[in-house]
Amino acid sequence: MTPIADFVKSFVKKHQEGLLYLICGAGTVFVSWGTYALFVWLGIEVNVSNVLSWVCGVSFAFVLNKWVVFDCRSTEGTTLAREIGSFFIFRIATGVVAIVAFPVLYNFGMGQPLFGVDGFIAKIAVSVIEIVLNYFASKFVVFRKKKDDA
């Protein structure tokens, strides 16, 4: 192997979880933004479209985070219930941040359209905030590994 290939392989191995989170997060953002655009284009008011797109994104994110990013394979009832419950509680908390922040950003200069979609600049800014908060909640609370699992 070349030194560059060795470096890339080492980097990917060392940062696999973070890289997977970013890749899966991109998919989640695509679902959230795509459904937001769809709802707006269907004539649904921007704040309602924002809430609906959030629900779509969170549902998609749970599956990817559990199975792909944090490799939590348990389907045992109490474990699954705890994961789903805590995941949605944290996503509701960050969702509240997004729902509150979106109209604030929209009304204070980020309401201009992007790609023909009203309020898309505010949607992007809110998504960045959510991604950071959600990673830490998922890693350290929702999908944390027990000491005997590690």
Side-chain angles (χ1 to χ4, degrees), residues 21-119:
Y21 187 81
L22 290 175
I23 292 166
C24 291
T28 299
V29 168
F30 179 77
V31 167
S32 180
W33 292 358
T35 56
Y36 173 79
L38 176 66
F39 295 138
V40 169
W41 287 330
L42 290 173
I44 299 171
E45 194 270 333
V46 293
N47 289 303
V48 174
S49 294
N50 186 51
V51 171
L52 293 173
S53 71
W54 176 83
V55 171
C56 293
V58 169
S59 300
F60 185 76
F62 176 77
V63 174
L64 289 180
N65 277 270
K66 177 173 176 53
W67 291 93
V68 177
V69 176
F70 298 106
D71 194 32
C72 294
R73 302 294 178 176
S74 174
T75 56
E76 193 270 321
T78 56
T79 300
L80 195 56
R82 181 194 58 79
E83 289 172 345
I84 291 170
S86 60
F87 188 84
F88 276 87
I89 286 169
F90 278 106
R91 294 300 168 116
I92 288 168
T94 60
V96 168
V97 169
I99 289 165
V100 169
F102 178 80
V104 170
L105 295 174
Y106 183 90
N107 290 317
F108 284 102
M110 292 185 154
Q112 59 274 60
L114 181 65
F115 306 120
V117 179
D118 189 33

Side-chain angles (χ1 to χ4, degrees), residues 17-18 21 65 69-70 72 82-83 86-87 90-91 131-147:
E17 183 181 273
Y21 187 81
N65 277 270
V69 176
F70 298 106
C72 294
R82 181 194 58 79
E83 289 172 345
S86 60
F87 188 84
F90 278 106
R91 294 300 168 116
I131 288 167
V132 171
L133 293 173
N134 288 330
Y135 175 77
F136 287 108
S138 291
K139 179 170 180 64
F140 296 112
V141 180
V142 179
F143 301 113
R144 72 184 180 281
K145 303 280 188 200
K146 295 178 185 171
K147 289 183 182 179

